[in-house]
Amino acid sequence: MTKICCIGAGYVGGPTMAMIARQCQDVQVTVVDINADRIAAWQTDDLPIYEPGLLEVVKEARGRNLFFSTDVDQGIRDADIVFVSVNTPTKTFGEGAGCASDLQYWELCARRIKEVSTSDKIIVEKSTLPVRTAEAMERVLHAGHNPVHFEVLSNPEFLAEGTAMEDLEAPDRVLIGGHETPSGQKALQTLADIYATWVPRDRILTTNLWSSELSKLTANAFLAQRVSSINAISALCEATEADVGEVARAIGTDSRIGPKFLKASIGFGGSCFKKDILNLVYLCESYGLKEPAEYWRQVVALNEYQETRFVKTMLHSMFNTIANKRIAVFGFAFKADTGDTRESPSIKVCRELASEHARIVVSDPQAIDNARKDLTDIDGSVEFELDPYKAAEGAHAIAILTDWKEYRDLDYQRIFDGMQKPAFLFDGRNMLDHDALYEIGFEVYSIGKGKKSHLN
Ligand code: UDX
Ligand code: UDX
């Protein structure tokens, strides 16, 4: 029986390993993490991350061929294949601070793997890493005299949060990069065979190591760039009475462009887009490629512009003052169907509202606990309220920041009745029926669709 160990029981490692264990019953999967609380939570029905469908899959495989443990060394030692899925955040210090990836956890893992291994292993990079990281890892793994052979593969994960289980069950593709040597190709086939138990062979793409590493960064950069591109157009729509939804539909029907990732919004969030683009920028810079670096940096700059622009629209439409006004924020997660708030645009929006001395009430079905941690610096200006009706009670404005479907089904007449007048609604996700809201009496603002106002 093939034994797999995954280091890192996070948003990527947890769901991915649960799916492998569920689909491939002749492997044994152990997920290890240095965070004991996280490991303990994976063993209960109150999992450390919220992801639709995850609990069912975990329950099916847990104790059968899926295990969670804090014993990292034992996990590594027993395994034939070690996935490394630790976090690789943006560096906050030293050379490349604010741009480069912080690889300290990855390197620590490599050193640990080298130290405790007594048999040959395949090491799989699951975390998103700068191109050519595998080379550095191999140096660490094979430094000095070491009879054990490690074969490094790159197998980036393309799952999106909120749809992780669907993405894992029926992926557009599985990408595996390996060395073009006999042992590299053998390792690559071993991993491909595991995925082939449920993924059609023609969806399993194999490449060289460097292409695989770079493809993950490139995929995220392209996706983020689409959101920034349509957000740039949303500003122009507001100035010209064009409707960004209509523009997106018109260009999305062009099969060369396609309809996905053209939803204008307050901006993209999540743990990956910004981090990965900045990493790409840093890589370009370190190879002396100034213009490509600037090109990608602009995708992040545009995203920040969009967040700030939203707050400015709120401020200007509410008579240039929101001091002491109660503003109900609907949604704090970076997208619907997750409790994850990493790099959520809501963080910046709330901070900027607080700097204007607004009184903020944050509501979210899954992310209140994380929101509380993210906003400790402005905790004097923020309340938290699970119930959106209560959050909106007595408010001057509502700002929709996450596209939770719950927000589509609320009784907006009831909400309107309880609010200060004029009652403002800022739909940062263009997800509500703006005509119906206007009929109720709201002052409605959206992204790239103009306003619907009863005032003048
Ligand atoms: C992470 C990266 O951020 C992402 O770029 C990559 O593609 C996949 O891995 P995610 O799973 O969302 O994404 O990160 P996180 O939820 O923070 O999980 C990482 C886990 O690794 C944490 O639970 C942490 O405790 C664990 N870890 C970290 C270790 O077990 N050992 C370490 O040395 C460092
Ligand atoms: C992303 C990639 O999609 C995934 O392939 C990769 O593995 C990790 O990074 P994720 O961050 O989970 O996944 O979410 P995603 O669905 O890509 O959304 C990212 C952000 O863009 C969210 O804040 C979302 O609200 C925003 N977005 C997305 C838009 O504003 N408009 C769109 O049209 C699409």
Side-chain angles (χ1 to χ4, degrees):
M1 185 185 245
T2 305
K3 287 193 173 166
I4 292 177
C5 169
C6 174
I7 311 177
Y11 286 88
V12 173
T16 312
M17 291 304 124
M19 184 57 72
I20 290 180
R22 185 242 203 132
Q23 301 286 4
C24 195
Q25 293 184 31
D26 49 0
V27 302
Q28 181 183 308
V29 182
T30 305
V31 187
V32 299
D33 202 298
I34 49 173
N35 182 335
D37 293 341
R38 253 196 175 174
I39 289 298
W42 278 105
Q43 280 153 337
T44 68
D45 286 353
D46 189 15
L47 301 182
I49 62 176
Y50 172 70
E51 189 62 64
L54 174 61
L55 182 61
E56 289 74 12
V57 174
V58 168
K59 277 173 126 172
E60 186 185 324
R62 197 166 52 192
R64 179 188 69 196
N65 63 333
L66 176 65
F67 304 91
F68 295 92
S69 165
T70 51
D71 194 342
V72 179
D73 290 358
Q74 187 67 38
I76 295 170
R77 207 175 291 120
D78 290 348
D80 306 299
I81 305 176
V82 180
F83 285 82
V84 185
S85 189
V86 297
N87 38 343
T88 48
T90 303
K91 253 184 112 175
T92 53
F93 54 88
E95 187 176 283
C99 229
S101 279
D102 185 343
L103 297 175
Q104 60 173 316
Y105 306 120
W106 226 109
E107 192 183 322
L108 278 174
C109 284
R111 288 183 188 278
R112 204 78 220 136
I113 292 168
K114 176 179 180 235
E115 206 169 306
V116 305
S117 293
T118 48
S119 60
D120 292 358
K121 295 183 198 308
I122 298 172
I123 311 299
V124 185
E125 301 177 342
K126 205 43 157 165
S127 312
T128 305
L129 295 160
V131 58
R132 296 204 77 92
T133 301
E135 191 178 29
M137 291 308 148
E138 280 166 350
R139 289 227 190 100
V140 172
L141 288 165
H142 288 132
H145 176 71
N146 192 350
V148 174
H149 178 75
F150 299 103
E151 192 63 47
V152 178
L153 299 177
S154 160
N155 172 219
E157 185 46 63
F158 294 97
L159 70 81
E161 287 174 33
T163 52
M165 302 321 280
E166 294 158 41
D167 296 345
L168 286 165
E169 188 155 20
D172 286 343
R173 75 329 207 161
V174 167
L175 178 61
I176 309 175
H179 281 302
E180 284 151 328
T181 56
S183 65
Q185 292 302 301
K186 186 165 165 258
L188 202 149
Q189 277 318 315
T190 305
L191 187 56
D193 288 345
I194 292 176
Y195 283 109
T197 52
W198 80 98
V199 179
R201 284 273 177 191
D202 59 358
R203 294 201 177 185
I204 302 177
L205 310 184
T206 58
T207 66
N208 79 30
L209 258 172
W210 323 124
S211 305
S212 174
E213 287 179 333
L214 186 55
S215 296
K216 178 61 202 280
L217 288 180
T218 308
N220 277 347
F222 269 59
L223 290 169
Q225 180 199 46
R226 282 174 70 96
V227 178
S228 276
S229 297
I230 199 71
N231 283 345
I233 298 299
S234 76
L236 189 56
C237 286
E238 286 167 30
T240 58
E241 289 182 42
D243 176 322
V244 76
E246 293 178 351
V247 174
R249 184 153 53 95
I251 65 166
T253 46
D254 185 327
S255 61
R256 293 166 302 175
I257 298 174
K260 294 181 180 165
F261 266 73
L262 287 178
K263 262 198 259 148
S265 64
I266 34 164
F268 58 75
S271 67
C272 287
F273 280 4
K274 185 175 171 196
K275 160 174 83 73
D276 291 353
I277 296 167
L278 290 175
N279 187 198
L280 202 56
V281 167
Y282 185 73
L283 278 164
C284 290
E285 278 170 353
S286 21
Y287 287 99
L289 307 170
K290 190 166 153 278
E291 286 80 2
E294 273 314 304
Y295 177 79
W296 288 109
R297 197 187 282 282
Q298 195 54 34
V299 174
V300 175
L302 205 290
N303 199 50
E304 284 161 7
Y305 160 79
Q306 188 76 350
E307 294 167 342
T308 302
R309 199 168 79 79
F310 184 76
V311 177
K312 286 204 170 122
T313 301
M314 292 182 74
L315 179 65
H316 297 158
S317 56
M318 293 172 79
F319 322 112
N320 294 309
T321 175
I322 52 174
N324 284 313
K325 288 183 179 166
R326 181 176 164 100
I327 296 178
V329 165
F330 281 13
F332 201 86
F334 81 97
K335 62 188 270 192
D337 293 322
T338 178
D340 194 354
T341 62
R342 289 178 291 177
E343 299 295 340
S344 177
S346 310
I347 301 172
K348 182 159 176 178
V349 168
C350 286
R351 290 211 177 115
E352 292 191 3
L353 291 174
S355 74
E356 290 289 342
H357 295 184
R359 291 184 290 125
I360 306 161
V361 191
V362 172
S363 190
D364 189 289
Q366 293 290 341
I368 295 257
D369 289 345
N370 283 330
R372 231 184 267 281
K373 290 179 209 144
D374 293 330
L375 299 179
T376 43
D377 55 326
I378 54 162
D379 58 2
S381 311
V382 199
E383 282 171 49
F384 299 91
E385 173 54 64
L386 191 60
D387 179 351
Y389 292 103
K390 286 193 190 145
E393 189 65 44
H396 295 78
I398 296 172
I400 312 267
L401 302 189
T402 309
D403 47 346
W404 285 105
K405 55 180 176 312
E406 289 82 329
Y407 296 147
R408 215 169 270 137
D409 305 328
L410 296 173
D411 178 350
Y412 282 95
Q413 181 68 56
R414 179 181 155 197
I415 288 176
F416 178 80
D417 292 342
M419 287 175 67
Q420 307 275 347
K421 307 295 172 332
F424 288 86
L425 190 144
F426 301 91
D427 185 355
R429 296 290 182 167
N430 286 349
M431 61 178 289
L432 301 179
D433 180 343
H434 299 158
D435 289 328
L437 292 166
Y438 174 76
E439 286 304 317
I440 291 174
F442 280 104
E443 297 292 302
V444 187
Y445 288 77
S446 50
I447 306 280
K449 284 170 171 289
K451 62 176 176 183
K452 293 192 190 300
S453 172
H454 304 271
L455 311 166
N456 64 56

